[in-house]
Amino acid sequence: MDFRYTQQEEAFRAKLHAWLEQTSAEVFGRGQAGSTSPLETGDDRRWQRLLEYHRRLYEAGYVALHWPKEYGGGGATLMEQAIYQDAVLSYGLPLYGANQLAIDRIGPTLFFMGTPAQKERYLHKMLAGEEIWCQGYSEPNAGSDLAGLQTRAVLDGDSFVVNGQKVWTSLAHRADMQVLLVRTDPQAPKHKGISYLLVDMKSPGITIRPLVQVTGEAGFNEVFYDNVQVPKENLVGEINQGWQVSIATLMYERVSGGTRHPVQRTITELLALSRQVNFAGVAAHQHPYVRQKLAQFAVEAECLRLSRYRSLTAQLKGRIPGPESSFGKLFATELNLRVAMFADELLGPYGTLEKGSLGAVESGRWITRTIAARGLTIAAGSSEIQHNIIGERVLKLPKG
Ligand SMILES: Cc1cc2nc3c(=O)[nH]c(=O)nc-3n(C[C@H](O)[C@H](O)[C@H](O)COP(=O)(O)OP(=O)(O)OC[C@H]3O[C@@H](n4cnc5c(N)ncnc54)[C@H](O)[C@@H]3O)c2cc1C
């Protein structure tokens, strides 16, 4: 691995940092951007800020560095993309503004699988944030076993007619468009009767019910479909071949849900917290137990960073990344959860006080983080499922 930047990369990095410093202060307030998750948007004011941040990201040309230029992206090198990710995460900002799902994974799925008309119709609006996207995959009885989904679509003339229900749909209440997995052939084996549709969220027959989480936020929703008409041209790929299309989207999701996580920043904030509070009668950061924990987290975060660079080095040398790319999601989200839970341990009973409560430390943000961190170990494939994948596909262990 070569850790040095070329002159151009260094210039790119410096310009980007200056832009992030100024923009995050102007949009979110200095030092306030931390952990601005595009999936926690129950609060209208925060959502408006995210949209404003997205607009600026787009105008500055940073919104989709990894997209090819022909689709309006930055056409950046792998190194520039890595520099961008490190920089944005160090500010606790979302990588793709308010349209994370679209820019991260739905757009790239359309480059490879969409028709020319679909690319023309949707890609630019994704970039500009003019159409926000959500992802309708999970159902009450189809999460880890996604291929068991039951939402039905029947082709009737020029439209599919959709009936059924999705659940845990992040951002559905903000979204203009959705990628929707539906069953189009109930007789076929379960992976072979699924199709992938692009659905206008304002279509008659769609009902969205926000799910209020224990944090008080309503980031996800139940979505019901009652005879919803979806034009035939909104099918991506072939009919009944939607599983292959959805796998392409999931591949992007697992990469993004994994190593590209601001755990390093959370550890820095934990360190700052340990300087403010007492633990077992002494300043927390001076207590040997706390120091051991902080050091352990720092070492693990560094291992994660180096694993990411190992994967990047392999790609820069034209090789396929090794097993490190498979454990990224599992390791990053579990580490993030342990860091948040340790903050709660430091805070003791004060850790349970939420925003607005008398005595709440740092506006109760650590308890909110712990709960959100638990969610990240479930979203995009739970930790148990990641263990299965590593055991079966990477280590090739025998099935029990
Ligand atoms: C923050 C967040 C955002 C989300 N956003 C979206 C979204 O935008 N769109 C969307 O479609 N979905 C979304 N989801 C849903 C998510 O994809 C599912 O929650 C996830 O796939 C798990 O499915 P499930 O909740 O049905 O749990 P289940 O699949 O019912 O699993 C229950 C438990 O059993 C375990 N388990 C299941 N199968 C196995 C197995 N084979 N081996 C070992 N253990 C197993 C699981 O690990 C889990 O602990 C989101 C979830 C979260 C938490």
Side-chain angles (χ1 to χ4, degrees), residues 13-28:
R13 198 190 71 83
K15 189 170 160 210
L16 174 63
H17 270 267
W19 186 87
L20 287 168
E21 181 72 39
Q22 185 182 344
T23 310
S24 69
E26 284 175 8
V27 178
F28 299 104

Side-chain angles (χ1 to χ4, degrees), residues 39 101 135-138 142-145 167-170 220 375 378-382 384-385 388:
L39 298 185
L101 304 179
Q135 178 174 302
Y137 278 22
S138 308
S144 302
D145 180 21
V167 72
W168 312 125
T169 317
S170 308
F220 357 72
I378 300 169
S382 68
E384 289 80 6
I385 296 298
N388 286 349

Side-chain angles (χ1 to χ4, degrees), residues 182-374:
V182 289
R183 185 156 302 284
T184 35
D185 183 353
Q187 311 307 331
K190 64 181 183 179
H191 292 88
K192 299 208 167 141
I194 293 173
S195 299
Y196 189 103
L197 301 178
L198 308 175
V199 177
D200 181 340
M201 291 300 280
K202 306 288 181 301
S203 309
I206 294 187
T207 307
I208 300 166
R209 288 202 201 134
L211 290 166
V212 180
Q213 297 140 234
V214 68
T215 56
E217 297 257 359
F220 357 72
N221 304 268
E222 291 177 299
V223 184
F224 298 87
Y225 306 81
D226 182 11
N227 287 322
V228 176
Q229 305 257 347
V230 180
K232 202 163 89 178
E233 64 262 25
N234 288 19
L235 173 73
V236 181
E238 301 291 315
I239 192 162
N240 297 326
Q241 302 290 315
W243 188 249
Q244 282 84 332
V245 185
S246 75
I247 291 296
T249 311
L250 280 175
M251 290 301 289
Y252 290 108
E253 180 170 5
R254 294 215 168 128
V255 173
S256 65
T259 45
R260 294 191 245 153
H261 191 271
V263 67
Q264 183 70 58
R265 183 187 166 99
T266 315
I267 293 171
T268 309
E269 289 174 2
L270 176 66
L271 187 62
L273 178 72
S274 75
R275 295 205 168 94
Q276 287 170 43
V277 297
N278 284 343
F279 184 81
V282 296
H285 72 286
Q286 288 174 350
H287 194 286
Y289 168 70
V290 176
R291 294 174 75 82
Q292 284 292 337
K293 282 287 212 183
L294 291 172
Q296 179 68 29
F297 291 144
V299 167
E300 290 183 46
E302 187 62 4
C303 291
L304 194 62
R305 190 172 72 94
L306 293 176
S307 291
R308 230 175 77 217
Y309 289 170
R310 188 157 56 152
S311 181
L312 177 66
T313 302
Q315 290 178 64
L316 288 171
K317 293 187 176 169
R319 296 198 300 258
I320 297 169
E324 65 277 358
S325 54
S326 307
F327 66 69
K329 195 269 172 189
L330 174 66
F331 190 73
T333 55
E334 289 289 335
L335 173 60
N336 182 54
L337 177 61
R338 283 186 286 117
V339 170
M341 285 171 67
F342 186 65
D344 292 335
E345 189 181 336
L346 281 187
L347 291 169
Y350 286 96
T352 58
L353 296 175
E354 55 185 23
K355 191 175 181 177
S357 305
L358 190 65
V361 179
E362 296 186 11
S363 304
R365 71 173 167 165
W366 287 100
I367 187 68
T368 312
R369 265 189 188 161
T370 307
I371 294 164
R374 176 74 66 190

